[in-house]
Amino acid sequence: MSSPASTPSSASSTAAAEALPFGRLTTAMITPFRPDGSLDLAAVQKVATYLVDGGNDALVLNGTTGEAPTTSDQEKVQIIQAVREAVGDRAKIVAGVGTNDTAHTVECAQQAEAAGADGLLVVTPYYNKPPQAGLRAHFTAVADATGLPNMLYDIPARAGVEITTDTLIELATHPRIVAVKDAKGDLAGTTKVLANTDLFYYCGADELNLASLAIGAVGIASVVAHVASREYRQLIDAVVAGDLATAQRIDRRLVPAVEAIMTRTQGAIMVKAALRLAGVIEHATLRAPLLEATAEQTDWLTTDLKTAGLIA
């Protein structure tokens, strides 16, 4: 990977990031498993340390990329504790706690707080497609359940229902609902929310990182940053400094990596393969129903990561 750029804005950007609830650069972290599918906490700590060393202000644990659907509540707690032990106070820990059961989500939120999380990622309840009133009740119940700041995760492609602009504006009045991980891709709707609330937006779709930052997102919650943290740190610093040309150059250079990881097949599959290619993890094991990348997919990935300048 390329080394971080040294820019006059770096110090001021770092200071500004410290005033944000989760900084600017966050990665939705994988959960490493051993070949037999068991949780590999040593590898969890290695990945977390690697990401924080690469410039991440926060790590989002136990999300979809972390294979939350196939890890137990106890394993989720162990992951939070292991990452806290590994990175200390060098980065915030945002724990994914969302389910499609409000009572269970509240329980997970309280467990995450007890385990040492700094914030909560709460995804839109999926599959059962609640109405907006149900979403407001769900997110409010979770925010009321702990003293931690909440980041709502708006991803209708997976959840089956969006958090509407009006609902986001209403929820923003809750003192612990402070941020949105936006994977909806509605830039006009995002702009309206930003114009009417104090919510901090984090782009949750790597192909829209630059566009989201340009309209006022404070940072990104990335998957591709597993192998491009330094590059995304440079991109964010360039936007903060008003250097659009540099930000555009980095964004365009990373297009092959974004396509390789986020469009060839499921993202967790490809990013684990990418981390193995980069020598960060030994095993790219996933839990069923996800499967490891095929030889053909790995070949495509290798070519694309080389084109993006992320591996030798």
Side-chain angles (χ1 to χ4, degrees), residues 29-35 38-51 59 75 78-87 275 279-283:
M29 197 179 108
I30 64 157
T31 299
F33 302 117
R34 300 183 185 90
S38 60
L39 181 62
D40 189 342
L41 289 175
V44 167
Q45 293 185 317
K46 181 179 180 181
V47 173
T49 300
Y50 157 80
L51 290 171
L59 301 174
E75 287 175 323
Q78 291 175 326
I79 291 164
I80 296 167
Q81 292 171 334
V83 171
R84 173 59 73 212
E85 180 182 338
V87 305
L275 283 172
V280 180
I281 59 174
E282 184 178 357
H283 308 292

Side-chain angles (χ1 to χ4, degrees), residues 8 32-33 45 49 67 74 77 88 95 99 122-123 134 146-147 185 211 216 221 230 238 266 271 293:
F33 302 117
Q45 293 185 317
T49 300
E67 298 179 69
Q74 181 181 5
V77 168
T99 74
V122 190
V123 72
T146 78
R230 288 180 169 85
Q266 207 267 4
V271 82

Side-chain angles (χ1 to χ4, degrees), residues 7-110:
T7 67
S9 68
S10 295
S12 60
S13 176
T14 300
E18 291 174 351
L20 300 171
F22 310 115
R24 293 194 184 276
L25 175 60
T26 76
T27 296
M29 197 179 108
I30 64 157
T31 299
F33 302 117
R34 300 183 185 90
D36 65 359
S38 60
L39 181 62
D40 189 342
L41 289 175
V44 167
Q45 293 185 317
K46 181 179 180 181
V47 173
T49 300
Y50 157 80
L51 290 171
V52 175
D53 288 347
N56 278 269
D57 302 308
L59 301 174
V60 179
L61 309 178
N62 300 325
T64 309
T65 305
E67 298 179 69
T70 56
T71 57
S72 68
D73 289 357
Q74 181 181 5
E75 287 175 323
K76 289 177 175 67
V77 168
Q78 291 175 326
I79 291 164
I80 296 167
Q81 292 171 334
V83 171
R84 173 59 73 212
E85 180 182 338
V87 305
D89 60 0
R90 294 200 297 142
K92 300 283 189 180
I93 292 176
V94 183
V97 298
T99 74
N100 60 350
D101 172 359
T102 301
H104 186 204
T105 303
V106 165
E107 182 181 354
C108 290
Q110 292 168 339

Side-chain angles (χ1 to χ4, degrees), residues 73-274:
D73 289 357
Q74 181 181 5
E75 287 175 323
K76 289 177 175 67
V77 168
Q78 291 175 326
I79 291 164
I80 296 167
Q81 292 171 334
V83 171
R84 173 59 73 212
E85 180 182 338
V87 305
D89 60 0
R90 294 200 297 142
K92 300 283 189 180
I93 292 176
V94 183
V97 298
T99 74
N100 60 350
D101 172 359
T102 301
H104 186 204
T105 303
V106 165
E107 182 181 354
C108 290
Q110 292 168 339
Q111 289 173 346
E113 182 178 41
D118 299 296
L120 305 175
L121 178 72
V122 190
V123 72
T124 313
Y126 40 84
Y127 188 71
N128 42 13
K129 299 184 75 170
Q132 293 299 306
L135 294 186
R136 291 191 293 272
H138 174 84
F139 289 125
T140 299
V142 179
D144 285 343
T146 78
L148 298 179
N150 285 217
M151 177 189 289
L152 307 186
Y153 188 9
D154 191 8
I155 183 166
R158 287 183 184 272
V161 61
E162 69 170 327
I163 313 173
T164 66
T165 300
D166 288 343
T167 295
L168 286 165
I169 291 171
E170 183 173 341
L171 288 169
T173 62
H174 194 291
R176 283 185 294 282
I177 295 177
V178 302
V180 178
K181 179 181 176 183
D182 180 21
K184 185 160 57 182
D186 177 10
L187 296 179
T190 295
T191 300
K192 183 175 179 181
V193 176
L194 290 170
N196 288 278
T197 74
D198 293 324
L199 288 172
F200 296 102
Y201 260 70
Y202 292 81
C203 182
D206 279 307
E207 69 275 12
L208 293 177
N209 281 338
L210 178 54
S212 296
L213 291 166
I215 65 169
V218 297
I220 66 175
S222 172
V223 175
V224 178
H226 279 94
V227 289
S229 286
R230 288 180 169 85
E231 288 74 15
Y232 278 131
R233 181 91 257 172
Q234 293 170 20
L235 187 152
I236 292 167
D237 286 349
V239 172
V240 171
D243 184 359
L244 184 59
T246 294
Q248 289 172 336
R249 185 166 60 250
I250 297 168
D251 186 60
R252 292 168 186 174
R253 187 185 123 205
L254 293 177
V255 165
V258 174
E259 289 185 344
I261 291 173
M262 302 309 298
T263 70
R264 303 290 190 192
T265 184
Q266 207 267 4
I269 294 172
M270 295 304 275
V271 82
K272 280 191 169 182

